[in-house]
């Protein structure tokens, strides 16, 4: 018998480890120790997990309070299809619902905490068929002023925010200065270019230039017979050669005479 029981336990443990055997039940998670300054609001956070599908019409949430000095347990809050805040006691008009059933959130908020609120708060959630499970506990401590660690976190958060804003402003100013310097350099470079080096848009390229020559047409009359000789076109470039030829003829005529 002992061997059979050990074998059955070994098989069940193996199934549970492999994920084939699912353990049903409710799991509740709370924030543990919470510290709040006297006269301020505090959120008591409580979340849950259920192996069954969440049915908002069946979920029941119960919050209770047990004083730090001891005494009887007092009901603080109840939820069943809708929230039911306390109508009497020290928490009257001080508790408000801050949860979301479909979001697996069962949190509440205590308004303007007092020193009498020091104690242990329990959060219990049921979601049939998950009606059994651990109960979440929160130990609330009400103080006169915030602790050094909280003040340090607050200062660090504020300082970090200010540093981020200053860093962004420095980047923006630097970018604007760089743009202004770049524009100024461009303007100065344009002013330094001499006017004579600037190209005339109407001028053509030397390779495309065309040489033009003026042609001269003249008529010669021979005094001996009164006949007009044929017109001749003279190139200015050959004017010197023609000049020398005419001089030779004149010399020849003078010689014959």
């Amino acid at each position: 018998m002992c061997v059979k029981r050990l074998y059955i336990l070994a098989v069940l443990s193996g199934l549970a480890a492999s994920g084939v055997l699912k353990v049903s039940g409710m799991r509740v998670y709370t924030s543990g120790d919470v510290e709040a300054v006297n006269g301020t609001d505090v959120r008591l956070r409580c979340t849950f997990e259920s192996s069954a599908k969440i049915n908002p019409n069946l979920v029941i949430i119960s919050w209770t309070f047990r004083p730090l000095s001891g005494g009887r347990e007092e009901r603080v809050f109840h939820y069943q299809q809708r929230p039911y805040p306390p109508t009497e006691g020290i928490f009257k008009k001080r508790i408000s619902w801050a949860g979301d059933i479909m979001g697996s959130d069962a949190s509440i908020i205590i308004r303007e905490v007092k020193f009498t609120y020091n104690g242990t708060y329990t959060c219990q959630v049921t979601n049939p068929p998950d009606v059994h499970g651990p109960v979440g506990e929160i130990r609330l401590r009400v103080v006169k002023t915030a602790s050094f660690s909280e003040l340090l976190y607050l200062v660090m958060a504020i300082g970090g925010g200010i540093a981020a804003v200053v860093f962004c402003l420095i980047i923006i100013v630097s970018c604007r200065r760089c743009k202004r310097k770049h524009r100024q350099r461009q303007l100065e470079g344009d002013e330094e270019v001499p006017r004579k080096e600037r190209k005339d848009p109407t001028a053509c390229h030397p390779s495309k230039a065309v040489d033009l020559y003026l042609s001269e047409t003249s008529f010669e009359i021979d005094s001996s017979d009164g006949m007009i000789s044929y017109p001749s076109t003279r190139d200015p470039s050959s004017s010197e050669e023609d000049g020398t030829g005419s001089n030779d003829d004149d010399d020849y005529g003078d010689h014959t005479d």
Side-chain angles (χ1 to χ4, degrees):
M1 292 294 293
C2 294
V3 175
K4 289 183 178 180
R5 289 179 182 178
L6 291 174
Y7 177 75
I8 293 171
L9 291 175
V11 171
L12 291 175
S13 61
L15 292 174
S18 62
V20 176
L21 181 63
K22 295 184 178 179
V23 180
S24 61
M26 179 68 65
R27 295 182 180 182
V28 180
Y29 306 94
T30 54
S31 53
D33 295 338
V34 177
E35 188 176 282
V37 179
N38 182 34
T40 62
D41 300 343
V42 62
R43 179 189 179 98
L44 302 183
R45 185 173 181 80
C46 176
T47 57
F48 60 90
E49 288 183 359
S50 177
S51 59
K53 184 178 180 180
I54 297 176
N55 189 344
N57 296 322
L58 299 178
V59 173
I60 298 175
I61 300 171
S62 298
W63 280 90
T64 58
F65 166 70
R66 186 172 62 255
L68 186 62
S69 58
R72 66 181 184 87
E73 194 173 64
E74 181 180 352
R75 175 166 292 185
V76 175
F77 182 83
H78 183 76
Y79 183 97
Q80 187 173 4
Q81 295 185 350
R82 70 181 185 87
Y84 291 92
T87 58
E88 58 182 5
I90 60 174
F91 293 100
K92 183 180 179 180
K93 296 182 179 180
R94 296 294 183 93
I95 306 295
S96 61
W97 171 244
D100 179 15
I101 297 298
M102 299 308 298
S104 302
D105 191 355
S107 304
I108 60 173
I109 294 177
I110 304 178
R111 307 290 183 184
E112 300 178 0
V113 295
K114 303 177 181 180
F115 292 108
T116 55
Y117 294 169
N118 280 316
T120 302
Y121 296 79
T122 60
C123 174
Q124 184 177 9
V125 183
T126 60
N127 179 42
D130 290 344
V131 295
H132 300 287
V135 177
E137 292 188 353
I138 298 176
R139 290 173 294 277
L140 177 62
R141 181 170 173 261
V142 181
V143 296
K144 292 183 179 180
T145 57
S147 62
F148 176 77
S149 59
E150 292 181 352
L151 291 175
L152 181 61
Y153 293 150
L154 180 62
V155 171
M156 290 177 64
I158 296 174
I162 295 174
V165 172
V166 172
F167 182 72
C168 293
L169 291 175
I170 291 173
I171 293 176
I172 294 172
V173 172
S174 300
C175 292
R176 289 182 177 179
R177 287 183 178 178
C178 291
K179 289 182 180 179
R180 289 177 182 176
K181 289 182 179 179
H182 182 67
R183 291 178 181 176
Q184 187 175 1
R185 289 176 181 175
Q186 287 182 343
L187 294 174
E188 291 177 354
D190 294 340
E191 292 177 356
E192 290 177 357
V193 176
R195 295 179 179 272
K196 63 181 180 180
E197 293 183 0
R198 296 179 182 177
K199 296 182 179 180
D200 186 0
T202 61
C204 62
H205 195 270
S207 62
K208 298 181 180 179
V210 179
D211 296 333
L212 300 178
Y213 299 96
L214 179 62
S215 62
E216 295 181 358
T217 304
S218 61
F219 296 92
E220 296 180 356
I221 299 175
D222 191 355
S223 58
S224 60
D225 55 4
M227 297 298 291
I228 299 174
S229 62
Y230 292 100
S232 61
T233 302
R234 295 182 179 180
D235 193 344
S237 61
S238 61
S239 60
E240 295 179 357
E241 297 177 357
D242 294 342
T244 56
S246 61
N247 291 333
D248 293 340
D249 295 337
D250 293 340
D251 294 341
Y252 181 76
D254 293 340
H255 180 70
T256 54
D257 292 339

